[in-house]
Amino acid sequence: MGFVVDSKKGSGSGGAGGSSWGFRCVMRRKQVDSVHVRSGVRQLAKELTVLQLLAIGVGSTIGAGVYVLIGTVAREHAGPSLTISFLIAGIAAALSAFCYAELASRCPSAGSAYHYSYICVGEGVAWLVGWALILEYTIGGSAVARGISPNLALFFGGEDHLPPFLARVYIPGLDVVVDPCAAILVLLVTGLLCVGIKESSFAQAIVTTANVCVMVFVIIVGGYLGFRTGWPGYELPSGYFPFGVNGMLAGSATVFFAYIGFDSVASTAEEVKNPQRDLPLGIGIALSICCMLYMLVSIVIVGLVPFYAMDPDTPISSAFSSHGMQWAVYIITAGAITALCSTLMGSILPQPRILMAMARDGLLPAFFSDVHKRTQVPVNSTIVTGVCAAILAFFMDVSQLAGMVSVGTLLAFTTVAVSILILRYVPPDEMPLPSSLQETINSVSSRYGTGSEVIDQENPKDSADNSKDNTEASASDPLILKEHDQARLNEEKRRKAAAWNIAFVCVGVLLLTSAASAEHLPR
C-alpha cells in the first residue's frame, strides 16, 4: 500500500489490537497528489477537449433505451406527462452531475467515483465502489452488445437472414443462446480503445453525431405530423395526468436511468487538457443536451399517438408507421443501432481506467496499471475488460443480471454526494489536499493574516513555525486573539447548522416521496 496515506496517522494508542489496525486500514484515505504521480510513473495522454468530452458524455448517455423507454413509461406510469417526468429526472441527474463535475475538476485523476471515495471517505468504501463500477460497466456493456443484433437484423430482412457468423445460435447442451455479433462488436470496440483515446473519442463523436441527427429527424418530422393531425395524443378525456401525480413521479424514477452515462466523462479526467475548465463544461453541457432531446422526443411521440395505443417495444417506429411513414422505420432503427454502439463504447471506456487506478493504489496487481508507451492507454486493463465483456455477451442472457447495474450506479452516486459533503463540512486540517492547493491556502492565509489552522502535509515543520508566529502575534494583541476565537466558534456553529440542515433535507425528501406515493392524491 505504498500509495496510500493514513490521514489519522499518529492517532490512537500504540497498544491497539489487530482489529483496530484493520479498521484504520479500511478508513485511511489517500492524498489527491498520489505517490504514483510524483514518482514518474507513466501517465495517460492528455488529449481531450470540451468537444470530445461532449461526444463521450452524450454518446454514453443517449442509448437505445430512449427508443423503448418512452412507450413503456407512457403506457404504465406517466401518460402525456412523460415530458415532466424527463424534466424531473434530468434535474435529479443534474444534481449528481454537479457533484461529479466538482470532484473531477478538483481531483483530476482516473478512477471516477472510486478515486473520489478513496480521497474523501476511505479505502474500504472505495474498494466496494470500485468493484460495483466494474460490475456495472461489464454487465451494462454486455447487455448493450446483445441488443445490437436484433436491430441489425432488420436491414437483412429479419433474424433468419443474418450472415451465419453473426446470427444467434441455440446450444441445446448448455441451454444458452450464443450471440457472435455481440462478442465481435465488443472486441472491435476494445481494439479501437487500445489505439488511443484521441482516435476512440473521434470515432465515438461520429457515431454520436449520427444518433443525434436521427433524434433531430424524429423531432422535426414528428412535429410536422403532429401539427398536421392536431396532436391526437393530447386530446384525451383522462387529462394530462391520467395516472395522477404519483404516476408522473414514478415515471421520472424510471427514466432517471436514461441519464446515466455522464460519469464516463469523469473517468477520463486524467486525459483532459484543462480539467478545471473542461470537465464541468463537458458534464454540464452533455447532460443539458440529453435532457433537451429526451423532452422534445417525448413531446412529439406522446402527441402523435395516445399513450394507451403505444407499442411498448417500438414506440417511435410504430408512431411513424401509424401515419403512413413506413420508410422512417429504417432511419429510426439506424439511430437505435448507432445509439447502442456509442453506449457500448461509453461502457467499456471507463472500466480500464478504474482497474488502473485500483492497481496504482495497490488494490489490484500491478499488471493492470501498465500504460502503453506509444498509445498512452492502459492496454492490459482494456484487453482484459474487452475479453470478459465479450465472453459475457456471447454466452449469457445478461438481462437476469441487469438489476445489479442499478445497484452499482446508486452506490456510486451516493458515495460521490457524500464525498462532496465531506469536502464541504470537514475541517481542512482533517482533509487530504493536493500540494498545489495547500500552497494556495497557505499563501492566502498569510496574506490576509487569518491565522489558518491548515497543516501543510509535506512541510509540517514550516506549518508549525508559522502557527507559532501567528500565536505570538495574537498574544501581543488581545483583540486579534478574541476575533480569532470568535471566528473559530462561528465556524463550528456553521458546521453544526449545516449538519442539521442536511438531516432535515433528507427527512423532507423522504416525507415528500412517501406523500407522492399516496393513493389519495387527485388525478
Side-chain angles (χ1 to χ4, degrees):
M1 294 295 181
F3 303 141
V4 181
V5 177
D6 190 351
S7 63
K8 302 298 182 182
K9 188 176 181 180
S11 62
S13 60
S19 60
S20 176
W21 180 87
F23 180 76
R24 290 200 303 270
C25 288
V26 171
M27 296 303 296
R28 60 186 174 184
R29 304 189 296 259
K30 71 175 181 180
Q31 299 285 356
V32 178
D33 290 342
S34 301
V35 175
H36 71 264
V37 176
R38 299 191 294 266
S39 61
V41 176
R42 189 179 295 117
Q43 300 297 296
L44 302 179
K46 289 187 175 295
E47 298 284 353
L48 299 181
T49 61
V50 174
L51 293 178
Q52 292 165 316
L53 291 177
L54 285 178
I56 294 174
V58 176
S60 302
T61 304
I62 299 182
V66 66
Y67 294 92
V68 180
L69 206 60
I70 288 178
T72 303
V73 176
R75 282 176 60 97
E76 298 179 0
H77 298 292
S81 64
L82 176 64
T83 305
I84 301 180
S85 297
F86 271 112
L87 176 61
I88 294 175
I91 294 173
L95 297 176
S96 185
F98 292 155
C99 297
Y100 269 93
E102 177 172 344
L103 287 171
S105 60
R106 292 181 64 166
C107 315
S109 184
S112 185
Y114 159 78
H115 179 63
Y116 312 143
S117 58
Y118 208 154
I119 292 172
C120 301
V121 184
E123 181 179 306
V125 174
W127 187 84
L128 291 175
V129 170
W131 282 108
L133 290 175
I134 291 172
L135 180 67
E136 171 193 347
Y137 289 127
T138 303
I139 296 177
S142 302
V144 167
R146 285 187 73 96
I148 294 178
S149 56
N151 289 280
L152 190 63
L154 177 65
F155 295 99
F156 292 89
E159 288 193 34
D160 297 335
H161 297 84
L162 274 174
F165 68 94
L166 295 177
R168 291 181 175 180
V169 179
Y170 175 73
I171 301 180
L174 300 176
D175 194 25
V176 295
V177 178
V178 297
D179 193 340
C181 179
I184 292 173
L185 285 172
V186 171
L187 294 177
L188 287 176
V189 170
T190 302
L192 180 61
L193 292 175
C194 290
V195 173
I197 186 63
K198 187 175 182 179
E199 292 77 8
S200 58
S201 62
F202 178 75
Q204 187 162 19
I206 296 175
V207 178
T208 302
T209 302
N211 181 26
V212 171
C213 289
V214 172
M215 298 190 73
V216 172
F217 166 81
V218 171
I219 294 169
I220 295 175
V221 178
Y224 168 76
L225 291 175
F227 282 111
R228 194 180 69 176
T229 58
W231 301 103
Y234 293 115
E235 297 178 356
L236 301 174
S238 57
Y240 195 72
F241 297 92
F243 298 96
V245 177
N246 56 342
M248 182 266 293
L249 292 175
S252 66
T254 304
V255 301
F256 173 79
F257 291 97
Y259 290 96
I260 294 174
F262 58 82
D263 54 335
S264 298
V265 179
S267 68
T268 62
E270 192 173 314
E271 297 159 281
V272 180
K273 292 182 178 179
N274 188 356
Q276 280 72 25
R277 184 198 67 180
D278 294 348
L279 281 170
L281 285 176
I283 294 175
I285 297 175
L287 191 64
S288 301
I289 292 173
C290 295
C291 184
M292 181 177 62
L293 290 175
Y294 285 156
M295 293 178 65
L296 290 175
V297 170
S298 62
I299 288 173
V300 170
I301 300 304
V302 172
L304 289 178
V305 180
F307 71 92
Y308 53 81
M310 281 188 177
D311 187 341
D313 297 324
T314 56
I316 300 179
S317 302
S318 60
F320 280 86
S321 298
S322 63
H323 290 80
M325 297 182 64
Q326 187 64 35
W327 55 271
V329 175
Y330 294 97
I331 297 178
I332 296 169
T333 304
I337 293 175
T338 56
L340 284 167
C341 291
S342 62
T343 306
L344 177 61
M345 294 183 66
S347 297
I348 298 179
L349 174 66
Q351 186 174 334
R353 276 85 183 155
I354 296 173
L355 292 173
M356 182 190 68
M358 296 178 71
R360 283 174 171 178
D361 296 329
L363 299 181
L364 285 177
F367 169 82
F368 293 99
S369 64
D370 182 61
V371 177
H372 195 272
K373 184 177 181 180
R374 184 178 62 85
T375 62
Q376 292 182 279
V377 170
V379 174
N380 294 343
S381 300
T382 304
I383 293 175
V384 172
T385 297
V387 171
C388 292
I391 293 173
L392 192 63
F394 183 76
F395 284 106
M396 299 188 64
D397 182 9
V398 292
S399 61
Q400 299 174 355
L401 303 175
M404 296 299 295
V405 177
S406 303
V407 175
T409 301
L410 292 175
L411 178 61
F413 283 12
T414 303
T415 306
V416 169
V418 170
S419 300
I420 284 290
L421 294 181
I422 291 175
L423 284 178
R424 288 289 188 277
Y425 303 114
V426 168
D429 57 339
E430 298 180 11
M431 191 70 237
L433 295 174
S435 58
S436 56
L437 182 59
Q438 186 65 65
E439 293 171 0
T440 303
I441 292 175
N442 292 338
S443 63
V444 172
S445 299
S446 60
R447 182 185 305 172
Y448 293 99
T450 57
S452 175
E453 296 290 333
V454 181
I455 297 173
D456 189 343
Q457 295 166 358
E458 295 191 359
N459 300 304
K461 183 177 180 181
D462 296 342
S463 298
D465 294 340
N466 293 335
S467 178
K468 182 179 180 180
D469 294 340
N470 292 335
T471 302
E472 292 176 355
S474 299
S476 63
D477 193 336
L479 182 59
I480 296 178
L481 182 61
K482 182 178 180 181
E483 291 179 353
H484 180 70
D485 293 339
Q486 184 64 33
R488 180 182 298 178
L489 182 61
N490 292 336
E491 181 68 13
E492 292 178 356
K493 291 181 179 179
R494 187 184 73 86
R495 297 186 191 282
K496 290 181 180 179
W500 281 107
N501 287 333
I502 293 169
F504 285 137
V505 168
C506 293
V507 173
V509 170
L510 178 62
L511 294 177
L512 177 62
T513 52
S514 301
S517 302
E519 296 183 357
H520 65 271
L521 285 179
R523 291 182 179 273

